């Protein structure tokens, strides 16, 4: 009888041990299942439960050495070789005269009324309003006044955050410094005045190769920094190819920036 009780006690102990073991296995399996669901839903290892705050770098556009322009491949409206030839092969007698107004610097109480007097009631011969492009820097700028100009139909473009001196700073600055000047000002113009900015003018007309790479990668449509000699009055062209003659300050970009217009 004692032997039977001993055997039954052992069996009961084994069953209890198996039950606990089964519960442990079940809890482990449930935990693994929960972790697996977390991996699927959250896309991360739940053991760490850390939020990924890193922002992926945007895909960079290809940036390669430019070649001499091929007029058979470089065709308007998306591409144009540099030169003095009139777009569309128009004769000079049929080419409209174009007078371009561009204002540099901050817009503030010291100059807003001057701009209003110059442009707000001016008309072209066809009765269209006379407009200008304001290249706006962040120094001494009242963004409510920038908003006023934008709402009147004037273009607002980027002239950097600081427009800092000396002019050699712009040719010696590193990429991060140039990005801050170019992109931070475009963001400020957009947020503070509501203006959508497509163009850039470099302070002191001193862009470098990195400047054009930043403009190209961040979808600017044009730059208005490069000058030509009096005898080389070019029409606007794109940077799909190399310019046909050296730029006035010797700082023409040497790499390809498709569809970026000068």
């Amino acid at each position: 009888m004692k032997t039977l009780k001993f055997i039954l006690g052992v069996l009961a102990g084994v069953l209890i041990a198996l039950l606990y073991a089964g519960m442990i296995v079940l809890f482990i399996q449930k935990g693994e299942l929960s972790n697996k669901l977390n991996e699927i839903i959250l896309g991360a290892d739940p053991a760490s439960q850390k939020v990924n705050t890193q922002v992926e770098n945007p895909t960079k556009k290809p940036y390669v050495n430019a070649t001499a322009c091929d007029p058979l491949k470089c065709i308007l409206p998306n591409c144009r070789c540099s030169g003095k030839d009139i777009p569309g092969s128009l004769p000079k007698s049929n080419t409209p005269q174009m007078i371009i107004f561009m204002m540099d610097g901050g817009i503030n109480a010291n100059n807003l009324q001057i701009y209003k007097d110059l442009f707000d009631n001016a008309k072209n011969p066809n009765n269209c309003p006379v407009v200008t492009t304001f290249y706006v820097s962040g120094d001494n700028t009242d963004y409510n006044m920038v908003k006023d100009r934008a709402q009147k139909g004037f273009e607002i473009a980027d002239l950097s955050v600081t427009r800092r001196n000396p002019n050699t700073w712009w040719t010696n600055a590193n990429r991060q410094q140039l990005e801050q000047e170019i992109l931070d000002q475009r963001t400020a113009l957009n947020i503070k005045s509501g203006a959508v900015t497509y163009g850039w003018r470099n302070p002191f007309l001193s862009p470098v190769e990195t400047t054009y790479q930043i403009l190209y990668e961040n979808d600017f449509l044009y730059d208005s920094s490069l000058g030509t000699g009096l005898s080389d009055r070019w029409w606007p062209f794109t940077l799909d190819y190399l310019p046909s003659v050296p730029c006035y300050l010797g700082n023409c970009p040497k790499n390809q920036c498709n569809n970026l217009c000068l």
Side-chain angles (χ1 to χ4, degrees), residues 43-102:
D45 181 2
S48 63
Q49 293 297 316
K50 292 181 179 178
V51 178
N52 183 11
T53 58
Q54 292 183 339
V55 178
E56 295 290 333
N57 288 328
T59 303
K60 298 296 184 184
K61 296 181 180 180
Y63 196 62
V64 298
N65 291 336
T67 58
C69 194
D70 183 347
L72 297 179
K73 294 180 179 178
C74 184
I75 301 172
L76 289 171
N78 296 319
C79 182
R80 174 175 158 79
C81 297
S82 63
K84 295 184 285 185
D85 58 303
I86 301 171
S89 301
L90 288 173
K92 287 185 178 180
S93 58
N94 290 341
T95 303
Q97 183 182 28
M98 296 187 182
I99 301 173
I100 301 174
F101 290 106
M102 292 174 283

Side-chain angles (χ1 to χ4, degrees), residues 30-50:
K30 283 184 177 180
E32 289 179 351
L33 178 61
S34 176
N35 287 346
K36 194 65 178 175
L37 287 173
N38 282 339
E39 284 188 50
I40 295 171
I41 296 171
L42 301 177
D45 181 2
S48 63
Q49 293 297 316
K50 292 181 179 178

Side-chain angles (χ1 to χ4, degrees), residues 18-254:
L18 288 174
L19 178 61
Y20 276 112
M23 291 175 67
I24 292 170
V25 170
L26 181 62
F27 285 141
I28 291 173
Q29 288 177 337
K30 283 184 177 180
E32 289 179 351
L33 178 61
S34 176
N35 287 346
K36 194 65 178 175
L37 287 173
N38 282 339
E39 284 188 50
I40 295 171
I41 296 171
L42 301 177
D45 181 2
S48 63
Q49 293 297 316
K50 292 181 179 178
V51 178
N52 183 11
T53 58
Q54 292 183 339
V55 178
E56 295 290 333
N57 288 328
T59 303
K60 298 296 184 184
K61 296 181 180 180
Y63 196 62
V64 298
N65 291 336
T67 58
C69 194
D70 183 347
L72 297 179
K73 294 180 179 178
C74 184
I75 301 172
L76 289 171
N78 296 319
C79 182
R80 174 175 158 79
C81 297
S82 63
K84 295 184 285 185
D85 58 303
I86 301 171
S89 301
L90 288 173
K92 287 185 178 180
S93 58
N94 290 341
T95 303
Q97 183 182 28
M98 296 187 182
I99 301 173
I100 301 174
F101 290 106
M102 292 174 283
M103 304 296 178
D104 284 10
I107 298 177
N108 52 57
N110 294 326
N111 54 32
L112 180 62
Q113 190 56 49
I114 297 172
Y115 295 147
K116 287 183 175 182
D117 293 341
L118 280 173
F119 299 113
D120 282 11
N121 297 311
K123 299 287 185 181
N124 280 292
N126 62 0
N127 210 39
C128 288
V130 173
V131 293
T132 186
T133 298
F134 289 95
Y135 292 91
V136 180
S137 55
D139 57 319
N140 299 317
T141 288
D142 184 324
Y143 286 94
N144 287 324
M145 295 181 181
V146 177
K147 184 176 182 179
D148 170 83
R149 295 293 85 192
Q151 291 178 339
K152 289 287 196 306
F154 297 96
E155 182 189 11
I156 306 299
D158 187 348
L159 187 67
S160 81
V161 174
T162 64
R163 201 170 50 151
R164 67 176 67 191
N165 289 303
N167 61 331
T168 52
W169 185 91
W170 297 94
T171 55
N172 296 325
N174 61 37
R175 182 186 174 100
Q176 182 180 5
Q177 291 171 321
L178 290 174
E179 284 182 332
Q180 289 173 343
E181 289 285 351
I182 297 168
L183 303 181
D184 288 3
Q185 179 61 3
R186 181 171 71 169
T187 299
L189 288 167
N190 180 250
I191 293 175
K192 296 180 180 180
S193 71
V196 179
T197 303
Y198 298 108
W200 160 259
R201 170 171 284 179
N202 209 99
F204 306 103
L205 305 181
S206 300
V208 293
E209 196 73 40
T210 305
T211 309
Y212 288 101
Q213 187 170 4
I214 294 168
L215 298 178
Y216 178 51
E217 291 175 354
N218 289 279
D219 299 318
F220 279 78
L221 295 185
Y222 72 89
D223 166 73
S224 182
S225 306
L226 291 179
T228 62
L230 293 177
S231 62
D232 296 312
R233 297 177 181 177
W234 295 343
W235 286 80
F237 63 97
T238 60
L239 288 178
D240 298 64
Y241 297 92
L242 290 171
S244 57
V245 298
C247 294
Y248 181 66
L249 297 177
N251 56 346
C252 276
K254 296 178 175 58

